[in-house]
Amino acid sequence: MFEYFGDNYTWNMAVNLALGMGAEIGELDDASGPVKEASRRGDPHAAEILFAAWTGLADRVKALAQQDLQHDRTYSAGRKFKRAAIYYVQAERMQAPRFPGRDAAFRNMLECFRRYAELTGQPVEWVDVPYQGTTLPALYVPAREIPPGGAPCMVHFDGLDVTKEILYLMGMGEALRERGVSVLLVDNPGVGEALRLQGLTNFPEAEVPASACVDYLEGRDDVDASRIGIMALSLGGYHAPRAAAFEPRLRCCVAWGANYDWGATQRYRHQSQDPRLPVPHYWEHVMWVFGQTTMEGLLATADRMTLEGVLHRIRCPILVTHGENDRQIKLVQAERLVAECVNSPKAELFVHTLRDGGAEHCSVDNLALGVDAIADWIGATMRELGQRPQDRRPR
């Protein structure tokens, strides 16, 4: 992994993710060089200094985009709005839940992302998935070609601290689109707009929001309802297999990074004070995500997030990808997850090695390798499912 901030794993993750989304390394260096000393503190509040640096960079790039618009340079403006969105969202996700300025940075990210998509002609549709009297905000990316009867589609949930916009900028939407698969990138409860703007918190029963997404997709004429799958990354390595186990309409599943027993992982982190965390203010963030006010309540909820005794229910193809050098979740969790999918017709583990790259958590050190491995498997699996006429449902 590119360790711009020395041994500060959390800050280095943010840099790698930003670069994988399309940040310019020169811009990041200009903004981040002066705050390298703060990264050595080991103090989560030091991230506030990073926030000032990266939102300042985002403001500057956004202003350049607006200058381009004044001269009718719309495509160039869109490219700059994209980078501004990246810097805003990476600054925002690194802060405590109630940090002043966090809400404004998030809304700036939403605005810049939309301007980027509109000005550069991105194939994305903003949709609201009906869900328990409210909605789940989502981005729908159609397959490049929609055949008669519709294209297969993946529901893509977030992880603990990413958003649907981050997922899009990581390139999974484009990768699936080019392989004939549509994708619904969803801010599921506990992340993105669902948490920040609607107050929807996370919970173990991932099949509930997943079923709402299937209901929505079954109503679209451009989706083949017999080929809807689910995928998610990081914490979603629990959510996707859990949903596939209890929602039989999901026809394939991808865990982008395993998460077999999230409760055990949290108890270890709490006892060991493990510094290898995805965000600063980690425990405040997790309690916000799950709507908990005490550590006891959080750990009790986390204990329910295990795939033990569940995976035999999965009867669809499943892929688990994992990094050999994942410093957050041990490879053994991926191995156990695949081994217990005893009723899946195709349960596969893809390990990203240190030799080949993509070996860190969810391939953050080389997102392109992670995206290609997953998209290739989904494309092939959806074609296999399409060759089974008995599985296709009348529309």
Side-chain angles (χ1 to χ4, degrees):
M1 184 164 69
F2 176 43
E3 296 184 330
Y4 182 88
F5 287 111
D7 62 356
N8 190 321
Y9 174 82
T10 305
W11 287 32
N12 289 331
M13 283 272 292
V15 170
N16 279 260
L17 182 53
L19 291 172
M21 293 159 63
E24 283 290 337
I25 193 168
E27 290 176 339
L28 275 180
D29 184 49
D30 288 344
S32 305
V35 301
K36 277 189 173 182
E37 183 60 37
S39 74
R40 301 186 181 99
R41 294 184 189 173
D43 173 10
H45 293 287
E48 297 170 11
I49 299 172
L50 189 67
F51 179 85
W54 282 9
T55 54
L57 172 60
D59 290 343
R60 187 164 71 251
V61 176
K62 179 182 176 182
L64 292 173
Q66 291 166 335
Q67 289 177 23
D68 280 341
L69 286 180
Q70 292 172 3
H71 294 87
D72 295 323
R73 298 189 291 258
T74 55
Y75 193 80
S76 293
R79 284 164 49 83
K80 293 180 179 67
F81 278 122
K82 172 186 176 179
R83 299 203 305 279
I86 293 168
Y87 305 139
Y88 279 129
V89 76
Q90 287 300 88
E92 185 268 349
R93 61 176 282 277
M94 297 279 282
Q95 306 309 312
R98 294 178 179 82
F99 176 71
R102 183 170 191 171
D103 181 69
F106 184 75
R107 292 179 185 274
N108 274 328
M109 179 277 291
L110 293 177
E111 175 199 354
C112 289
F113 180 86
R114 185 178 284 268
R115 299 298 299 277
Y116 148 67
E118 292 172 348
L119 292 170
T120 62
Q122 296 299 305
V124 61
E125 175 187 346
W126 282 260
V127 301
D128 293 305
V129 176
Y131 172 75
Q132 298 190 342
T134 181
T135 59
L136 298 175
L139 301 172
Y140 177 74
V141 182
R144 180 169 291 280
E145 296 183 5
I146 305 295
C153 186
M154 295 297 293
V155 176
H156 197 328
F157 279 0
D158 300 334
L160 176 71
D161 56 279
V162 302
T163 70
K164 62 188 184 301
E165 293 80 15
I166 291 176
L167 295 178
Y168 186 87
L169 293 168
M170 287 164 64
M172 186 58 76
E174 178 184 6
L176 290 175
R177 170 178 165 82
E178 295 298 329
R179 290 164 174 83
V181 181
S182 303
V183 61
L184 185 71
L185 306 166
V186 185
D187 280 343
N188 51 289
V191 290
E193 288 186 76
L195 175 66
R196 289 158 174 81
L197 304 186
Q198 297 174 226
L200 299 175
T201 54
N202 212 323
F203 53 90
E205 292 77 24
E207 65 273 16
V208 177
S211 295
C213 293
V214 176
D215 290 343
Y216 167 77
L217 290 172
E218 285 185 332
R220 292 190 65 114
D221 292 336
D222 58 353
V223 171
D224 177 357
S226 70
R227 290 187 291 167
I228 297 173
I230 189 164
M231 61 188 299
L233 76 170
S234 194
L235 177 57
Y238 163 81
H239 284 125
R242 165 75 196 205
F246 287 91
E247 174 45 89
R249 293 177 294 171
L250 293 168
R251 304 304 310 282
C252 68
C253 175
V254 176
W256 189 350
N259 229 315
Y260 180 90
D261 192 334
W262 196 68
T265 301
Q266 301 324 293
R267 289 190 175 275
Y268 171 78
R269 282 177 172 169
H270 188 241
Q271 294 167 3
S272 67
Q273 301 296 310
D274 190 340
R276 296 166 297 183
L277 302 171
V279 290
H281 311 279
Y282 178 76
W283 297 109
E284 293 174 62
H285 182 91
V286 176
M287 284 193 277
W288 179 43
V289 166
F290 285 90
Q292 298 293 328
T293 57
T294 66
M295 184 61 66
E296 292 76 16
L298 172 64
L299 292 176
T301 299
D303 286 340
R304 294 165 51 208
M305 297 181 66
T306 177
L307 296 172
E308 185 174 9
V310 166
L311 295 168
H312 69 281
R313 298 175 60 103
I314 294 180
R315 298 183 180 274
C316 65
I318 180 170
L319 170 70
V320 179
T321 68
H322 209 83
E324 180 183 26
N325 196 48
D326 191 320
R327 294 180 241 182
Q328 294 186 45
I329 304 292
K330 297 297 185 184
L331 178 59
V332 66
Q333 291 205 30
E335 295 168 340
R336 186 171 182 183
L337 199 167
V338 172
E340 293 183 15
C341 291
V342 293
N343 291 313
S344 166
K346 184 173 77 168
E348 298 184 7
L349 172 62
F350 188 103
V351 179
H352 291 280
T353 64
L354 283 164
R355 184 192 66 184
D356 293 338
E360 293 289 342
H361 185 65
C362 297
S363 298
V364 72
D365 56 311
N366 193 326
L367 286 175
L369 289 176
V371 168
D372 282 346
I374 291 170
D376 285 339
W377 185 92
I378 291 172
T381 299
M382 288 300 191
R383 288 193 296 274
E384 292 166 5
L385 292 173
Q387 293 166 0
R388 303 175 187 175
Q390 71 273 18
D391 290 343
R392 299 179 69 85
R393 303 178 190 174
R395 298 190 64 80

